[in-house]
């Protein structure tokens, strides 16, 4: 209930009613009022801030997944689903959502259950891991960062940051392949020089001896 004070300021109150009508010595109904104006204002500000953060997370190009300490999926933005090709919306707060999500993603991983177990163990160990690379079955590559969240009350889950690094991995593999080719060419050149030197050693020795 909103009440206006004598100074013209609106305040918000919550009331509780308790009846003492059945008690002969009382015979009254008591109303207890509590001023909750500050509390309600803080709750509204928190809702607004959460809405802003949600909008920000949803507009990110990289994937964001937040798993709480009970293995529930708290946040999964649109980019996370797009990068991994998950068409169905992820239900926030569903019980054991993280293990279920891993089981759903397992066919998308190139290494299947091996990758799923690796990601599960990272979250279970509650350790920070940066740049964990996973190859997908369709040939793409993604990279994940795992950040354990803490508060005064203890663990608060794990934040996962996902990004598509297919182009970067392709460039890196191209450079690795080029380096291997150069190393092989250098080895062949060295072998060729050694062979020629060996073949020429005999004739040259004869020429020197004749001279």
């Amino acid at each position: 209930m909103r009440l206006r004070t004598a100074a013209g300021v609106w305040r918000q109150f919550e009331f509780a009613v308790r009846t003492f009508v059945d008690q002969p010595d009382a015979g009254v109904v008591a109303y207890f009022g509590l001023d909750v104006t500050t509390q309600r204002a803080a709750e509204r500000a928190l809702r607004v801030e959460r809405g802003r953060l949600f909008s920000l997370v949803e507009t990110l190009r990289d994937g964001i997944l937040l798993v709480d300490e009970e293995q529930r999926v708290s946040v999964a933005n649109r980019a996370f689903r797009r990068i991994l090709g998950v068409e169905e919306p992820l239900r926030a707060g569903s019980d054991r959502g993280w293990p279920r999500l891993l089981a759903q993603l397992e066919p998308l991983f190139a290494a299947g259950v091996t990758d799923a177990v690796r990601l599960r163990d990272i979250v279970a160990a509650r350790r920070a891991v940066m740049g964990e690379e996973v190859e997908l079955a369709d040939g793409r590559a993604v990279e994940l960062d795992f950040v354990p969240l803490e508060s005064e009350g203890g663990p608060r889950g794990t934040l996962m940051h996902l990004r598509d690094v297919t182009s970067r991995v392709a460039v890196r593999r191209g450079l690795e392949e080029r380096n291997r080719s150069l190393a092989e060419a250098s080895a062949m050149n060295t072998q060729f020089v050694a062979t020629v030197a060996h073949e020429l050693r005999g004739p040259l020795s004869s020429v020197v001896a004749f001279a």
Side-chain angles (χ1 to χ4, degrees), residues 31 72 83 114 123 133 158 194:
Y31 290 83
R72 293 186 297 257
I83 293 173
T114 302
V123 173
E133 194 172 295
T158 301

Side-chain angles (χ1 to χ4, degrees), residues 44-86:
R44 286 194 296 272
L46 181 59
R47 285 195 297 270
V48 170
E49 188 64 24
R50 283 179 175 174
R52 289 174 178 171
L53 289 175
F54 179 79
S55 298
L56 174 63
V57 170
E58 278 297 302
T59 56
L60 292 175
R61 293 173 59 89
D62 291 349
I64 297 294
L65 182 74
L66 178 61
V67 177
D68 68 14
E69 66 276 14
E70 299 297 331
Q71 299 284 294
R72 293 186 297 257
V73 175
S74 300
V75 176
N77 70 346
R78 188 181 299 111
F80 182 89
R81 301 191 302 272
R82 172 181 53 78
I83 293 173
L84 291 179
V86 178

Side-chain angles (χ1 to χ4, degrees), residues 167-178:
S167 299
R168 191 185 74 192
V169 170
V171 171
R172 186 190 70 201
R173 290 175 178 172
L175 291 174
E176 291 173 351
E177 181 61 29
R178 182 180 178 184

Side-chain angles (χ1 to χ4, degrees), residues 66-122:
L66 178 61
V67 177
D68 68 14
E69 66 276 14
E70 299 297 331
Q71 299 284 294
R72 293 186 297 257
V73 175
S74 300
V75 176
N77 70 346
R78 188 181 299 111
F80 182 89
R81 301 191 302 272
R82 172 181 53 78
I83 293 173
L84 291 179
V86 178
E87 297 181 359
E88 299 179 4
L90 302 178
R91 290 191 305 157
S94 58
D95 185 41
R96 303 294 294 172
W98 170 236
R100 284 203 192 99
L101 177 59
L102 279 177
Q104 182 181 353
L105 295 177
E106 185 179 310
L108 304 178
F109 299 145
V113 66
T114 302
D115 284 333
V117 170
R118 179 159 52 98
L119 300 183
R120 183 201 64 192
D121 291 346
I122 291 174

